[in-house]
Amino acid sequence: MKNKKLSTILFVVSLIIVITACIATWIRGGFVMNTILASTCIAVTGAIIFLSQNPSRHVAWLVIAGLAFSIAGDSFLAHAHGKMTPFIAGIGLFGGAHIAYFLYAKANGKLNIRVGTYVTLAFVTYYCFELTQRLPAGLSFAVLIYLLLSCLTLTAATGMQTSLPIKIIFSIGIGLMMFSDLMISFVEFMQLYPARKLIMPTYYLSQTAICIGTCLLLLFPNSKKNPVPETSEQEENLVTG
């Protein structure tokens, strides 16, 4: 957006709307409020996409797709009631959300292999030593694939070539989503029920951070570190020569 003041105003308004929705969801809870929060993030992000003049704004539609996948996945998990089929379907839909977030982050940077290696080793170790012996055969493979997708998404998020605050906010959003999933595994598979209190707050905050990070990059595209094309020096030599 050319008018930086207008961009700032739009971001502040968006921030107030999303945080208000997050707090309301936190207080009331439940699937309906979860859907309202995700829908608010979708509406705010969509509005900013239309208003932004960022040349790469079309990539932000992937974030909206991720939020939509999250709504659908939340619906299946909320109504699973101990049944394996809707639980696996929910995992699959949240996996779709991670794929969308991964593609968005990768389009705005590169993979942070170091972070990805450490995180993947930690989660795969947890899976091998704690979850494999507790998971039903039909669920074990789905959980492993989802776990790897989550790690891949964080690898891309921490490698985004944006200003540091934007990268941190978006990465925190992905990290909180992974933490919320970790708490679900504590409750569902290890019967560590006190962890239930952390599932939804971290999930709400993850959606909020993902939305805010995306809107920041849309409204302030100059914060992105645009690499100089490799051919620029050659072209300059041709002109001067």
Side-chain angles (χ1 to χ4, degrees), residues 130-150:
E130 295 295 340
L131 294 185
T132 50
Q133 56 188 335
R134 294 180 170 89
L135 291 172
L139 187 58
S140 182
F141 182 71
V143 170
L144 176 60
I145 296 300
Y146 179 76
L147 181 151
L148 294 175
L149 281 175
S150 301

Side-chain angles (χ1 to χ4, degrees), residues 63 66-67 70 94 97-105 115 119 123 146-147 149-160 166-182 202-203 205-211 213-214:
V63 174
L67 291 167
S70 296
F94 273 108
H98 273 291
I99 291 173
Y101 295 145
F102 165 77
L103 292 174
Y104 169 77
V115 170
V119 172
F123 273 82
Y146 179 76
L147 181 151
L149 281 175
S150 301
C151 294
L152 189 61
T153 306
L154 188 62
T155 302
T158 54
M160 291 176 69
I166 292 176
K167 179 166 70 172
I168 288 175
I169 291 170
F170 192 85
S171 298
I172 286 175
I174 300 300
L176 285 172
M177 188 174 178
M178 294 174 66
F179 183 83
S180 179
D181 294 333
L182 183 64
T202 50
Y203 177 59
L205 291 173
S206 75
Q207 290 191 319
T208 303
I210 289 169
C211 175
T214 303

Side-chain angles (χ1 to χ4, degrees), residues 20-220:
T20 301
C22 180
I23 293 173
T25 306
W26 197 329
I27 294 172
R28 293 294 300 275
F31 169 69
V32 174
M33 293 302 295
N34 297 349
T35 304
I36 290 175
L37 173 60
S39 299
T40 301
C41 291
I42 288 174
V44 169
T45 305
I48 298 299
I49 289 174
F50 281 114
L51 293 171
S52 172
Q53 294 179 348
N54 189 332
S56 60
R57 62 185 179 276
H58 61 280
V59 179
W61 287 107
L62 288 166
V63 174
I64 289 183
L67 291 167
F69 273 119
S70 296
I71 293 175
D74 192 35
S75 175
F76 276 93
L77 293 182
H79 300 94
H81 303 303
K83 298 178 182 178
M84 185 174 296
T85 300
F87 193 84
I88 292 177
I91 290 177
L93 288 164
F94 273 108
H98 273 291
I99 291 173
Y101 295 145
F102 165 77
L103 292 174
Y104 169 77
K106 183 64 174 62
N108 286 287
K110 58 183 180 180
L111 299 181
N112 189 331
I113 301 300
R114 179 180 295 181
V115 170
T117 300
Y118 292 150
V119 172
T120 303
L121 282 174
F123 273 82
V124 169
T125 300
Y126 169 66
Y127 172 84
C128 292
F129 288 97
E130 295 295 340
L131 294 185
T132 50
Q133 56 188 335
R134 294 180 170 89
L135 291 172
L139 187 58
S140 182
F141 182 71
V143 170
L144 176 60
I145 296 300
Y146 179 76
L147 181 151
L148 294 175
L149 281 175
S150 301
C151 294
L152 189 61
T153 306
L154 188 62
T155 302
T158 54
M160 291 176 69
Q161 294 180 321
T162 66
S163 67
L164 187 59
I166 292 176
K167 179 166 70 172
I168 288 175
I169 291 170
F170 192 85
S171 298
I172 286 175
I174 300 300
L176 285 172
M177 188 174 178
M178 294 174 66
F179 183 83
S180 179
D181 294 333
L182 183 64
M183 295 302 101
I184 291 175
S185 73
F186 283 177
V187 173
E188 296 292 335
F189 308 132
M190 300 179 68
Q191 287 73 53
L192 299 175
Y193 298 113
R196 189 186 303 274
K197 296 179 181 179
L198 297 174
I199 294 174
M200 298 317 297
T202 50
Y203 177 59
Y204 304 150
L205 291 173
S206 75
Q207 290 191 319
T208 303
I210 289 169
C211 175
I212 292 172
T214 303
C215 290
L216 272 173
L217 187 54
L218 285 167
L219 290 171
F220 305 101

